[in-house]
Amino acid sequence: MEYSGYSQVNPQWTKFVASHSELGDLDRVGIVERRRIFGEVEAKIPPRKIPEDVANSSITVDTFSITARDGYEIPVRSYVPGSGSAENRPVLIYLHAGGFLFGDLESGDLNCRTLAARLNISVLNVGYRLAPKWPFPHGLNDSYDATAWAAANAKTRLNASPAAGFLVGGISSGANFAGVIAYQARDAGLSPPITGLWISIPVCILPQAYHLLPPEQREQLLSLEQNAENPLLTKKSLADIQAIYGSPPEDPRISFLLNKDHNNLPKRAYFQICGRDPLRDEAFLWQKLLEKHSGTRSRVHLYTGMPHGFWRFLEMKSSQEWLDDLLDGIRYLCRPDDEVKETDTIIKGV
């Protein structure tokens, strides 16, 4: 019951939904129609604009491809600041959202530009393959292959040094990939190692695999039922997505909480968690496992009473603040270890 109180609907969301009745009872439609409805609602709201300082910055943006393990050419886009030393510049691997089914390089373009310009980091935006044309594990493999490429080529291609900070992260399905990659990189001895994770509204384990967790962990996962009818991601839609993506629930390459060893993972993590998200408790469970077994220190932005990915709708104050939160979180991942003593949770949306 530790986080159950954060499911109480946020007044900002109540006011927003009152003027957008089409966001009600989305289980009546399929995944594709659901996405169309989201797009229609977003189209009625002024879009997030590139900040003037970012638009006028000297970052270099380059779109190219990286060859995947099976020969596929993965589209990627790099964002490289024009000033400063590569030796001290961290790199971030950016993995977009989209439920394993949607999204592309444009999905996170504004975020990547802003992070590169304001934090003086190099960013690699990955256009991984999507289901149903490319089911599990193609998108994951693309994301890992791009991460490994960056480890080897950051200095020459991204004007950055993973030794100064090697960050991997993303939103929703992208956060799932980042979590899986943390284990894969550890087991493969990736060098330089990943130093920080950005984990935003992540899928950490599929509901069909909950029973495989130890009882003391399973009993912490209350949000799936508590938030089963969350407006933007429901228990039913999670099952629909998994069926299309084609991932075996028990495979740790999707349900990474099932890994038996949580040691030697990155020492820093930044979590974005929504209180009204069915995935809420999975994220908190992983944050605790990281801290216990790897000594990971985390910053958590907890958006009380808000549903999964609410920030796409900019009418709300919390949505307008989200990009600043992201900047704060990535900045946290780049801070020297001696400046970070413990995990802190910041309640947002009150």
Side-chain angles (χ1 to χ4, degrees):
M1 299 296 288
E2 186 174 358
Y3 305 107
S4 297
Y6 296 109
S7 285
Q8 185 172 352
V9 184
N10 192 295
Q12 292 183 53
W13 182 256
T14 300
K15 181 180 178 181
F16 174 69
V17 171
S19 59
H20 296 283
S21 59
E22 60 267 51
L23 291 175
D25 189 24
L26 286 175
D27 276 346
R28 72 187 188 279
V29 300
I31 296 298
V32 175
E33 177 66 7
R34 178 188 293 258
R35 183 168 177 84
R36 186 193 64 77
I37 291 171
F38 292 165
E40 285 190 352
V41 174
E42 284 184 285
K44 300 175 184 177
I45 304 168
R48 195 184 299 272
K49 296 181 180 179
I50 298 178
E52 186 175 350
D53 65 302
V54 174
N56 294 331
S57 67
S58 60
I59 61 170
T60 298
V61 180
D62 185 24
T63 301
F64 57 101
S65 65
I66 293 170
T67 304
R69 65 190 70 183
D70 60 0
Y72 178 79
E73 293 297 319
I74 310 165
V76 297
R77 183 174 295 163
S78 62
Y79 307 77
V80 179
S83 61
S85 168
E87 186 177 338
N88 299 313
R89 179 177 294 129
V91 61
L92 166 67
I93 310 302
Y94 185 102
L95 305 171
H96 65 75
F100 310 104
L101 313 176
F102 307 104
D104 53 27
L105 293 179
E106 300 305 321
S107 302
D109 184 76
L110 186 151
N111 296 337
C112 292
R113 290 175 186 271
T114 305
L115 290 167
R118 291 186 174 175
L119 299 182
N120 190 30
I121 64 173
S122 291
V123 182
L124 185 69
N125 184 3
V126 182
Y128 56 81
R129 279 175 277 185
L130 303 170
K133 181 178 180 180
W134 299 103
F136 171 89
H138 286 93
L140 169 64
N141 290 346
D142 289 350
S143 299
Y144 183 86
D145 291 349
T147 302
W149 177 92
N153 295 281
K155 183 175 181 179
T156 56
R157 298 295 301 273
L158 302 175
N159 200 29
S161 172
F166 194 4
L167 316 179
V168 178
I171 303 171
S172 195
S173 53
N176 173 265
F177 290 161
V180 175
I181 288 169
Y183 292 91
Q184 292 183 326
R186 177 199 64 185
D187 295 343
L190 184 67
S191 182
I194 297 168
T195 62
L197 299 169
W198 163 41
I199 305 295
S200 182
I201 52 174
V203 178
C204 300
I205 182 171
L206 292 176
Q208 302 93 323
Y210 276 19
H211 69 284
L212 298 174
L213 288 170
E216 67 273 13
Q217 295 180 14
R218 188 169 63 247
E219 67 187 14
Q220 297 180 46
L221 303 181
L222 305 178
S223 57
L224 180 69
E225 297 300 333
Q226 185 181 32
N227 299 327
E229 297 181 0
N230 157 60
L232 301 186
L233 181 71
T234 66
K235 181 179 178 180
K236 176 183 180 298
S237 63
L238 270 172
D240 292 344
I241 289 169
Q242 187 273 329
I244 297 171
Y245 182 43
S247 52
E250 71 280 1
D251 194 317
R253 291 176 297 169
I254 178 74
S255 297
F256 60 79
L257 281 178
L258 294 179
N259 280 280
K260 301 303 182 184
D261 181 4
H262 304 289
N263 294 292
N264 299 315
L265 293 168
K267 297 297 185 183
R268 195 79 57 79
Y270 167 52
F271 284 85
Q272 292 177 308
I273 302 173
C274 294
R276 206 178 169 209
D277 189 347
L279 306 177
R280 180 195 67 212
D281 291 349
E282 299 175 19
F284 276 115
L285 174 57
W286 195 43
Q287 185 268 317
K288 292 175 183 176
L289 290 172
L290 286 173
E291 185 166 13
K292 178 180 179 180
H293 296 282
S294 289
T296 303
R297 295 293 179 261
S298 302
R299 171 157 294 176
V300 180
H301 279 138
L302 172 57
Y303 300 92
T304 183
M306 287 295 199
H308 184 95
F310 69 90
W311 49 75
R312 66 190 302 165
F313 304 118
L314 281 174
E315 281 187 24
M316 294 174 287
K317 181 175 182 289
S318 290
S319 302
Q320 295 162 16
E321 295 174 345
W322 179 82
L323 186 54
D324 287 335
D325 295 341
L326 176 58
L327 286 161
D328 175 69
I330 301 301
R331 188 181 293 111
Y332 168 87
L333 296 179
C334 296
R335 288 169 59 186
D337 287 342
D338 59 5
E339 293 184 8
V340 178
K341 303 300 183 183
E342 58 186 19
T343 291
D344 63 293
T345 299
I346 302 165
I347 309 300
K348 303 286 297 187
V350 292

